[in-house]
Amino acid sequence: MKNLRIGFVCYPTFGGSGVVATELGKALVEKGHELHFITYSAPARMGSLKKNLFYHEVHMTDYPLFDFQPYELVLASKMVEVAKAHQLDLLHVHYAIPHASAAIIARNILAEEGIHLPVVTTLHGTDITLLGKDPAFKPVIAYAINQSDAVTAVSDSLKCDTEALFDVHQTINVVHNFICPTHFDRPIDQQFRLAVAPNGEKIVTHISNFRPVKRVEDVLRIFARIQERIPAKLLLVGDGPDRSRVENLAEEIGIRSHVISIGKIKNPIEPLLVSDLFLLPSETESFGLAALEALAAEVPVIASHAGGLPEVIHHGSCGYLAPVGDVEAMAHFALDILDSPENHRNFKKAARKRAWDFHVSAVIPQYEAIYEDLTSE
Ligand code: GMT
């Protein structure tokens, strides 16, 4: 296909949608496309600017009349400016609110000037499963989905949720999240491993944004049961509203000295490479990119049977799934893996193999096919 000039809009933070958008953008640059990130700060995983990779900051100024600054409108204006200055072929926006609705405004403004700029919207999860249920957002999300020129969702489960929640007249294409397994081919940082588990304890890891939907308290309760049976440490990575509550709970249930909480980091590869097991007991999870990254690092995953997680984790081979909140079952499965070196070896091998099913090279052409469809019209 011909090389395109694409505007990418995402949250520049550590959240899954921003990570997927950034990695996708970088992979498209590798394939020869020209990528323009349009965000309020440089995406966390973007790295340095290079040929064909641009970043345009959406700069908010304080206007005293506004109690709330209208980010969506400033973003839409920036999209118009970048589209004209760099002759973009299309916009690909990640996360419906407010990116998709802002993109529709931008597209309509450009249409008035005779410029055609198709909009691809990728739905990531909480934009549908949490915000989509909120009447404060629902009509706008539905409108933005239906007005987009193409819509993708990161799992079959998210596609079903979207169709169940909204009156959608758009075809929703499922394009699963992806990883580049070779990013994980690097030596384990033995110093880091020793710092977390000085006496050779098993390392059980959880990475998230510590929101209630992640059920991080379940992580502690599962770990407490594991720790009763085998020497283990719990490595918590990330930050968010539940972090201090979770650290207090660790104190309360007597496992604080076994918990290492390192907060936000740029890239989870280092902690994953030293891990023996990954826990993701979320209430809901449209895909579970963190679980896929764990598999790529050869770390088996225990997760809840919710949302898109069963599309990623094969129960009984690269990990286990249990009903949401069933900490007993999750602890039982964790011990089944950690307590037997042979089982652990087999699960690790299966984890890596499963991760290859989500290889970036299989996913990029799916997005490119969508782009081609819209730009060859
Ligand atoms: O997990 C989060 O709360 C962050 C959120 C986001 O929008 O950044 O993640 C969602 O998108 C990820 C990337 O597509 C998915 O892997 C996550 O499963 C999804 N989170 C939820 O559905 C809770």
Side-chain angles (χ1 to χ4, degrees), residues 2 5 7 15 21 48 50 77 101 113 152 161 171 207 222 289 308 310 368:
K2 71 167 179 141
R5 288 181 289 264
S48 318
K50 55 181 176 181
S77 298
S101 40
E113 300 181 30
T152 75
D161 285 344
T171 306
I207 302 178
I222 298 162
L289 182 67
E368 282 183 313

Side-chain angles (χ1 to χ4, degrees), residues 24-299:
L24 174 61
K26 290 193 311 194
L28 288 164
V29 168
E30 292 297 312
K31 288 203 75 178
H33 299 287
E34 186 177 297
L35 242 289
H36 294 261
F37 284 103
I38 306 169
T39 53
Y40 58 80
S41 66
R45 284 212 202 162
M46 186 178 78
S48 318
L49 295 177
K50 55 181 176 181
K51 185 168 177 264
N52 286 344
L53 179 61
F54 299 84
Y55 159 60
H56 309 273
E57 185 180 313
V58 181
H59 181 63
M60 299 295 295
T61 42
D62 247 0
Y63 186 59
L65 178 70
F66 299 142
D67 282 340
F68 305 99
Q69 304 300 318
Y71 177 68
E72 184 179 5
L73 302 184
V74 180
L75 174 62
S77 298
K78 193 74 185 178
M79 290 179 193
V80 170
E81 177 199 315
V82 175
K84 287 188 347 192
H86 296 273
Q87 287 145 21
L88 296 186
D89 294 302
L90 71 101
L91 274 176
H92 187 169
V93 300
H94 292 260
Y95 211 84
I97 287 285
H99 302 154
S101 40
I104 301 305
I105 298 174
R107 185 194 63 190
N108 293 349
I109 293 171
L110 289 162
E112 294 271 303
E113 300 181 30
I115 300 168
H116 174 58
L117 187 71
V119 172
V120 180
T121 295
T122 291
L123 307 173
H124 278 274
T126 41
D127 44 356
I128 298 302
T129 53
L130 298 182
L131 295 177
K133 289 184 182 138
D134 184 340
F137 293 114
K138 196 171 175 180
V140 179
I141 298 177
Y143 176 76
I145 291 173
N146 284 325
Q147 285 288 314
S148 297
D149 297 281
V151 180
T152 75
V154 297
S155 64
D156 292 313
S157 154
L158 183 58
K159 173 182 160 93
C160 286
D161 285 344
T162 310
E163 288 170 345
L165 262 164
F166 300 98
D167 185 14
V168 178
H169 335 120
Q170 264 286 6
T171 306
I172 299 178
N173 305 279
V174 173
V175 183
H176 283 118
N177 285 337
F178 58 89
I179 34 105
C180 182
T182 49
H183 286 179
F184 295 78
D185 282 334
R186 57 163 106 159
I188 292 179
D189 182 344
Q190 294 297 351
Q191 290 305 320
F192 184 33
R193 191 175 167 111
L194 266 178
V196 177
N199 302 307
E201 297 93 338
K202 295 288 183 200
I203 300 180
V204 178
T205 300
H206 170 77
I207 302 178
S208 77
N209 52 22
F210 287 65
R211 298 233 167 90
V213 70
K214 302 293 174 182
R215 298 184 67 98
V216 189
E217 291 192 8
D218 284 4
V219 170
L220 289 200
R221 296 189 197 284
I222 298 162
F223 175 75
R225 285 161 175 79
I226 297 172
Q227 210 271 323
E228 278 167 16
R229 292 273 304 279
I230 55 172
K233 294 283 183 180
L234 176 63
L235 177 58
L236 296 177
V237 182
D239 203 352
D242 284 354
R243 183 170 169 199
S244 52
R245 201 155 52 84
V246 160
E247 289 173 2
N248 291 341
L249 177 67
E251 192 77 56
E252 240 172 71
I253 62 178
I255 56 168
R256 187 66 188 94
S257 60
H258 302 284
V259 178
I260 295 95
S261 180
I262 62 172
K264 275 187 196 165
I265 55 166
K266 262 207 169 150
N267 201 314
I269 294 181
E270 289 303 340
L272 285 173
L273 286 175
V274 302
S275 303
D276 295 297
L277 189 75
F278 189 77
L279 300 179
L280 194 62
S282 308
E283 183 78 32
T284 176
E285 198 70 62
S286 70
F287 181 89
L289 182 67
L292 175 59
E293 292 182 319
L295 297 180
E298 280 193 10
V299 184

Side-chain angles (χ1 to χ4, degrees), residues 353-373:
K353 188 162 177 289
R354 179 65 181 139
W356 274 78
D357 295 339
F358 297 91
H359 200 295
V360 61
S361 62
V363 172
I364 299 297
Q366 298 176 47
Y367 281 115
E368 282 183 313
I370 294 169
Y371 298 163
E372 192 160 23
D373 223 38

